[in-house]
Amino acid sequence: MLRLTDFIIDCPDAMKLAAFYSEVVGLPVKEGSNEHWAGIQFGDIELAFTPVEDYRPPQWPDSEHPKQFHLDFEVDDIEAEQSRVLALGATLQRECVGPNGYGFRVYTDPVGHPFCLCRNKGVVWTDGRPVWPERDR
């Protein structure tokens, strides 16, 4: 059996980037986190941060310094969430929201990793969680 347990992000300062994402997602940095390994628990999966020497940030969308990954966050109010993540230190990179309010916006975190705030058509929010429409098979 194979089970995904961690998604680890390289960065210059594990605690600083963990604190940023902790505020973004509204979950605490795990107890016991430190400058060598900091994490945020999402059910069975931990989003973790580890420092690397000579960290070189991605230069999205420059293909010579590729992003390598990005995180998508489905939101119920993209304008409110944008204000919040910008205040936390994110930088808006690209606007891809149509006049109907659906689409996504690309941001970079304080050390250059891209992430998106998404508002997908057909998604409804129930009990504070997104419920996806059935997809065509």
Side-chain angles (χ1 to χ4, degrees), residues 40-91:
I40 301 169
Q41 198 68 43
F42 286 85
D44 292 337
I45 298 172
E46 180 175 345
L47 181 59
F49 309 90
T50 186
V52 295
E53 258 185 65
D54 195 28
Y55 172 77
R56 295 180 195 166
Q59 302 294 313
W60 183 88
D62 176 6
S63 61
E64 288 197 31
H65 301 94
K67 63 179 177 172
Q68 300 173 2
F69 75 90
H70 76 272
L71 302 172
D72 281 354
F73 297 102
E74 182 71 22
V75 298
D76 61 348
D77 184 341
I78 202 164
E79 300 302 331
E81 291 302 322
Q82 173 170 290
S83 294
R84 199 171 67 76
V85 300
L86 292 176
L88 293 170
T91 302

Side-chain angles (χ1 to χ4, degrees), residues 8-14 16-17 20-21 48-60 65-69 107-115:
I8 303 160
I9 299 175
D10 292 346
C11 60
D13 185 312
K16 280 186 182 177
L17 197 56
F20 170 80
Y21 279 105
F49 309 90
T50 186
V52 295
E53 258 185 65
D54 195 28
Y55 172 77
R56 295 180 195 166
Q59 302 294 313
W60 183 88
H65 301 94
K67 63 179 177 172
Q68 300 173 2
F69 75 90
Y107 304 83
T108 48
D109 68 25
V111 298
H113 299 296
F115 68 94

Side-chain angles (χ1 to χ4, degrees), residues 86-102:
L86 292 176
L88 293 170
T91 302
L92 178 63
Q93 299 294 335
R94 181 178 289 170
E95 168 78 38
C96 299
V97 175
N100 59 5
Y102 297 107

